[in-house]
Amino acid sequence: AQTVTQSQPEMSVQEAETVTLSCTYDTSENNYYLFWYKQPPSRQMILVIRQEAYKQQNATENRFSVNFQKAAKSFSLKISDSQLGDTAMYFCAFWSGAQKLVFGQGTRLTINP
Amino acid sequence: GAGVSQSPSNKVTEKGKDVELRCDPISGHTALYWYRQSLGQGLEFLIYFQGNSAPDKSGLPSDRFSAERTGGSVSTLTIQRTQQEDSAVYLCASSSGTGMTYGYTFGSGTRLTVV
């Protein structure tokens, strides 16, 4: 069974700094997708970024980028120029053909003014 | 609708009572998922519906939990004889079922408190 591990329960940085959230996963699959979701206090899960395992190029969405290391089964999220609105829980998630997302335990990120 | 709608937003119930949680997915989405999020925890898969196929119930924690999806659209998650450990946020999500190009779209969840 696939597992997703986020080893940082909480992180805190100053506004405008860069922060990196870690995620590792375990799978025997070769084709799969990885995601980062953001959950603000409103509770709604918001898709931040997506990576397809067969693509070597790291995904980027504005201030958000990933460092995908397939051999190491690592999928970290980098937030550049962090903003107060980035304060939220961040979840790493894995999907293969099993048709259900498997989530990590989450990292609570606080951006301080 | 434009998004996934869940109701009620919050529910407080007495231990031993039955509760029903509702999810209205995005129109046209064939796949629907229920997850549970206990305080400060990650998301725990409960059940998955895809079109007219038999649902994947492998995540339901006990036989007190059940779910149905009527007409391939609205879904109801029922918890019978609620216990305090059932207190959590219950999240519903839907997807087009054609792959993971866009991931899931989640609702805002129902916060269930069993007292």
Side-chain angles (χ1 to χ4, degrees):
Chain A
Q2 291 87 1
T3 59
V4 178
T5 302
Q6 294 179 248
S7 59
Q8 305 151 312
E10 295 188 24
M11 295 189 71
S12 179
V13 298
Q14 296 299 118
E15 192 176 7
E17 290 184 345
T18 294
V19 59
T20 299
L21 309 182
S22 300
C23 172
T24 59
Y25 56 95
D26 185 25
T27 185
S28 57
E29 301 284 342
N30 191 46
N31 296 318
Y32 49 87
Y33 291 78
L34 295 161
F35 303 85
W36 279 98
Y37 278 88
K38 169 185 177 181
Q39 187 182 40
S42 66
R43 294 199 308 245
Q44 186 156 20
M45 299 283 281
I46 301 166
L47 179 64
V48 174
I49 200 164
R50 173 182 60 93
Q51 176 78 41
E52 296 154 18
Y54 67 86
K55 289 188 177 180
Q56 293 184 340
Q57 185 173 6
N58 289 324
T60 299
E61 290 288 342
N62 300 313
R63 298 183 295 108
F64 299 86
S65 61
V66 299
N67 182 4
F68 174 47
Q69 301 290 328
K70 191 173 183 180
K73 296 180 182 174
S74 170
F75 182 62
S76 61
L77 174 69
K78 185 172 82 172
I79 306 174
S80 302
D81 185 27
S82 57
Q83 301 175 359
L84 297 179
D86 295 333
T87 292
M89 284 288 290
Y90 286 80
F91 292 94
C92 178
F94 172 98
W95 183 90
S96 66
Q99 292 293 346
K100 56 192 178 218
L101 279 172
V102 177
F103 288 87
Q105 293 299 94
T107 296
R108 182 177 302 280
L109 175 65
T110 302
I111 309 299
N112 299 307
Chain B
V4 177
S5 177
Q6 290 189 248
S7 60
S9 179
N10 293 282
K11 175 74 176 178
V12 179
T13 189
E14 292 181 351
K15 178 181 174 181
K17 300 284 190 181
D18 297 352
V19 295
E20 288 189 349
L21 312 180
R22 176 188 168 103
C23 174
D24 196 347
I26 291 175
S27 178
H29 277 191
T30 58
L32 186 147
Y33 313 81
W34 284 98
Y35 283 81
R36 177 169 71 174
Q37 184 178 23
S38 300
L39 184 62
Q41 300 298 308
L43 278 70
E44 173 190 8
F45 168 77
L46 296 177
I47 189 169
Y48 156 60
F49 297 89
Q50 172 60 279
N52 295 321
S53 301
D56 176 356
K57 303 179 182 180
S58 60
L60 294 178
S62 77
D63 58 8
R64 296 187 295 106
F65 288 73
S66 63
E68 63 177 18
R69 188 179 184 191
T70 53
S73 181
V74 173
S75 176
T76 302
L77 176 69
T78 301
I79 308 173
Q80 296 178 311
R81 305 181 301 281
T82 52
Q83 303 295 314
Q84 288 186 328
E85 61 262 30
D86 299 335
S87 295
V89 173
Y90 290 82
L91 290 164
C92 175
S94 68
S95 73
S96 64
T98 59
M100 292 304 284
T101 303
Y102 301 108
Y104 298 178
T105 301
F106 282 85
S108 295
T110 293
R111 181 181 298 280
L112 175 66
T113 303
V114 181
V115 298

